[in-house]
């Protein structure tokens, strides 16, 4: 599927569900993977996309001006799509970020910075109090969305909601996790399946914020970050179900799986 076909589907979904604002897809011209020496040349050739139809942007923006003058801006960060994204995920050493004042995953931090540099000129000024921003993402994009939300709020933007689906860990320590959460809006949520491998990676990393835990065929449990008694549910060593995860063949990591599970949970 080409980017245009995907954008058309997303635009149709918004229209069918009553979202009448605009939808913008941003196609970035440079590879997303950057090492300490700068952009690695030749990475474009690693993309399994000879016709460049799926040269994936990093994000979509939905924007709407309501009848009361409120300006809604929603940023959607995509997950792993190209081979270069795998390199981003594998850059898992934790580095100190001066803006966040904590240590985070290098690859996700670099991608978040890349998107922020591109997106800031498109956003309404941080001083405009009519404006709200929501940031969400899937998988790699979920971790990136949290970093973007924290940095935008640090810069004065009114980010009111952050959502991550099936996102990996991106904080070096519990202290770093707490620092990031202090920068996030109160309305933050990560949605994870008990048989999805990605939220357990990297095993030495730490998650951030409130959690919606999808367990069993149709159960969902809300776990606030303030409930320290349930933090063991984030432990890789206590919860990693090797055979169940292996037999699932990656399906619990996909967005349609989460949608189906959440619908069943709401019914039950």
């Amino acid at each position: 599927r080409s980017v245009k076909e995907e954008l058309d589907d997303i635009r149709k979904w918004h229209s069918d569900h009553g979202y009448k604002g605009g939808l913008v897809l941003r196609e970035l011209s440079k590879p997303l993977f950057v090492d300490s020496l700068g952009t690695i040349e030749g990475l474009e050739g690693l993309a399994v996309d000879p016709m460049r139809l799926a040269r994936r942007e990093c994000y979509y923006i939905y924007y709407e001006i309501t009848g009361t003058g409120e300006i809604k801006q929603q940023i959607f960060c995509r997950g792993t799509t190209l081979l270069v994204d795998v390199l981003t995920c594998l850059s898992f050493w934790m580095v100190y970020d001066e803006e966040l004042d904590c240590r985070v995953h290098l690859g996700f931090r670099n991608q978040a910075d890349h998107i922020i540099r591109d997106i800031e000129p498109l956003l309404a000024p941080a001083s405009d109090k009519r404006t709200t921003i929501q940031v969400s993402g899937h998988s790699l994009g979920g971790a990136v969305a949290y970093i973007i939300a924290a940095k935008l709020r640090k810069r004065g933007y009114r980010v009111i909601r952050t959502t991550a689906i099936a996102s990996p860990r991106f904080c070096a320590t519990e202290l770093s996790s707490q620092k990031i959460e202090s920068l996030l809006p109160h309305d933050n949520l990560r949605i994870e399946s008990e048989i999805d491998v990605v939220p357990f990676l990297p095993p030495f990393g730490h998650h951030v914020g409130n959690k919606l835990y999808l367990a069993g065929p149709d159960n969902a449990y809300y776990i606030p970050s303030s409930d320290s008694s349930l933090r063991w549910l984030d432990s890789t060593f206590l919860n990693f179900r090797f055979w169940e995860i292996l037999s699932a063949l990656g399906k619990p990591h996909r967005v349609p799986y989460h949608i189906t599970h959440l619908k069943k949970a709401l019914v039950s």
Side-chain angles (χ1 to χ4, degrees):
R1 284 166 56 84
S2 70
V3 170
K4 182 180 183 303
E5 289 173 327
E6 185 170 313
L7 180 60
D8 287 343
D9 280 352
I10 294 173
R11 184 178 285 116
K12 183 178 185 303
W13 183 94
H14 278 78
S15 178
D16 290 347
H17 289 79
Y19 296 95
K20 303 304 183 183
L23 191 65
V24 175
L25 172 149
R26 290 292 296 163
E27 296 186 50
L28 304 183
S29 59
K30 296 181 180 180
L32 301 180
F33 179 75
V34 180
D35 67 3
S36 59
L37 300 178
T39 301
I40 296 179
E41 295 181 358
L43 280 185
E44 295 96 330
L46 291 177
V48 187
D49 178 27
M51 298 184 68
R52 301 298 173 92
L53 292 177
R55 165 65 59 188
R56 303 286 178 181
E57 68 315 326
C58 307
Y59 61 90
Y60 302 95
I61 305 174
Y62 172 80
Y63 58 92
E64 178 183 348
I65 302 177
T66 69
T68 59
E70 179 187 359
I71 302 172
K72 295 181 178 180
Q73 299 171 115
Q74 299 174 346
I75 304 167
F76 302 90
C77 304
R78 66 155 174 80
T80 302
T81 304
L82 303 178
L83 192 53
V84 288
D85 298 329
V86 177
L87 297 178
T88 296
C89 295
L90 292 177
S91 299
F92 51 70
W93 46 96
M94 302 292 181
V95 297
Y96 178 76
D97 184 271
E98 290 187 6
E99 186 172 17
L100 298 175
D101 190 27
C102 63
R103 293 171 58 227
V104 294
H105 186 290
L106 173 65
F108 301 153
R109 191 281 307 269
N110 285 353
Q111 183 145 325
D113 284 346
H114 195 93
I115 292 175
I116 289 174
R117 284 195 299 271
D118 188 80
I119 202 174
E120 269 204 287
L122 305 177
L123 297 176
S127 58
D128 190 337
K129 302 306 179 184
R130 300 174 303 160
T131 302
T132 60
I133 298 175
Q134 300 179 33
V135 192
S136 60
H138 168 250
S139 190
L140 174 156
V144 170
Y146 266 49
I147 297 174
I148 289 174
K151 290 200 170 200
L152 288 179
R153 277 177 62 91
K154 191 76 179 289
R155 299 180 190 189
Y157 289 94
R158 191 179 168 210
V159 181
I160 61 170
R161 178 178 297 156
T162 309
T163 309
I165 300 175
S167 64
R169 306 163 188 235
F170 64 92
C171 289
T173 63
E174 183 64 31
L175 186 62
S176 293
S177 176
Q178 293 172 2
K179 184 69 176 180
I180 293 290
E181 186 170 8
S182 71
L183 297 172
L184 293 176
H186 177 72
D187 188 354
N188 67 79
L189 186 67
R190 52 188 171 92
I191 305 171
E192 300 173 6
S193 166
E194 64 177 347
I195 52 174
D196 179 9
V197 65
V198 172
F200 291 110
L201 301 176
F204 53 81
H206 290 260
H207 274 303
V208 177
N210 307 312
K211 174 178 178 176
L212 187 65
Y213 187 53
L214 307 184
D218 54 9
N219 296 317
Y221 303 98
Y222 176 70
I223 304 172
S225 60
S226 58
D227 191 345
S228 58
S229 67
L230 294 176
R231 287 182 185 168
W232 62 271
L233 288 171
D234 279 335
S235 170
T236 299
F237 305 103
L238 293 177
N239 297 283
F240 191 80
R241 304 178 183 182
F242 179 79
W243 291 113
E244 290 181 60
I245 290 173
L246 187 65
S247 63
L249 301 175
K251 291 180 181 178
H253 183 62
R254 299 169 187 167
V255 172
Y257 174 90
H258 288 78
I259 293 173
T260 301
H261 197 129
L262 288 170
K263 285 181 177 178
K264 289 181 179 178
L266 288 172
V267 170
S268 62

